[in-house]
Amino acid sequence: NAELNHITASSVTIADQITHTGDTDTKIEFAADTIGFTAGNRQFLQFAQGTAGGDIIALGGVGGTPPIIQGHITASGNISASGDLIVSDINVDGNIIHNNDSDTKIAFTNDDIAIEAAGTNVISTANNGADVTIGTSGGNDLEVVLDNGNNRFLVKGDDNKIGLGNNVPPEKLTVEGNISASGTIHGSAYEINGNNAITTDVGGTQIVLVKQL
């Protein structure tokens, strides 16, 4: 080992590491195609040549404490993290894409956003956020499920039937339970318990006449 206060040279060849005098756990380490920076026995930065030809920049390491970066990170390629990535804001020009699953993503355009799964729209906006589309016109169902499936709102994509509390609605609108209306229910024909029903107005009073089928 050699201790030097100052070196002036056009180049210096290092076999293993440069260590801070009297502070052996603070150093710059060299390995094949790799440079690591360690302070207090914690490697906080490493540059390496990836096995597939890509560059690897690793932050953090020994000690388990996640790195803190002050300022912005600008990348023209990929950013990969094996742990959590915690930031206050993420600014993207295009999409946030699920790794190895390019048709599942959050897509951004000016003043609009879309969430897609397997290439199918889940929810999206248009006209600067004024219009919201849930689902797609490709025949897929729209379903809202609450309370472990006990409360359900369903729009069938293949026949456009709607179910409230019913996941196989036989009619255009199927409701499991009572219907309450503060106004008038209008229709060209009515059926009550399998019987035809006709409504008429007598002196301002609505009367329902039921005819046995």
Side-chain angles (χ1 to χ4, degrees):
N1 296 331
E3 294 188 12
L4 303 172
N5 294 323
H6 182 77
I7 298 176
T8 301
S10 59
S11 65
V12 177
T13 300
I14 305 296
D16 187 17
Q17 61 189 32
I18 300 174
T19 304
H20 183 213
T21 301
D23 183 15
T24 57
D25 58 5
T26 300
K27 54 194 172 184
I28 303 174
E29 299 176 277
F30 299 88
D33 300 322
T34 302
I35 302 175
F37 296 82
T38 300
N41 202 34
R42 177 175 180 270
Q43 187 180 80
F44 64 92
L45 180 61
Q46 182 187 82
F47 296 92
Q49 178 71 29
T51 56
D55 294 330
I56 299 173
I57 302 176
L59 297 123
V62 178
T65 303
I68 298 175
I69 301 174
Q70 301 289 344
H72 302 286
I73 297 176
T74 302
S76 59
N78 298 328
I79 297 177
S80 178
S82 60
D84 295 330
L85 181 62
I86 302 173
V87 297
S88 57
D89 295 290
I90 299 177
N91 298 324
V92 297
D93 291 330
N95 304 323
I96 298 176
I97 303 172
H98 183 216
N99 193 34
N100 298 322
D101 183 16
S102 60
D103 59 1
T104 299
K105 59 190 175 183
I106 303 174
F108 298 89
T109 56
N110 288 339
D111 297 320
D112 284 309
I113 186 173
I115 300 176
E116 300 178 12
T120 299
N121 179 72
V122 177
I123 184 170
S124 61
T125 66
N127 298 324
N128 300 330
D131 299 330
V132 178
T133 300
I134 301 176
T136 177
S137 59
N140 297 304
D141 296 343
L142 167 63
E143 187 171 13
V144 179
V145 179
L146 301 172
D147 190 22
N148 294 323
N150 295 320
N151 298 319
R152 186 186 306 270
F153 169 78
L154 172 69
V155 179
K156 296 288 290 180
D158 53 357
D159 55 16
N160 295 321
K161 291 180 179 179
I162 300 173
L164 298 178
N166 187 304
N167 62 348
V168 285
E171 303 296 339
K172 191 68 173 178
L173 173 62
T174 301
V175 179
E176 294 292 335
N178 299 328
I179 299 176
S180 176
S182 60
T184 302
I185 299 177
H186 297 275
S188 59
Y190 302 90
E191 184 176 307
I192 300 176
N193 291 331
N195 300 321
N196 287 335
I198 303 174
T199 63
T200 185
D201 192 313
V202 179
T205 301
Q206 290 286 334
I207 299 177
V208 179
L209 304 177
V210 179
K211 179 182 178 182
Q212 185 75 31
L213 292 176

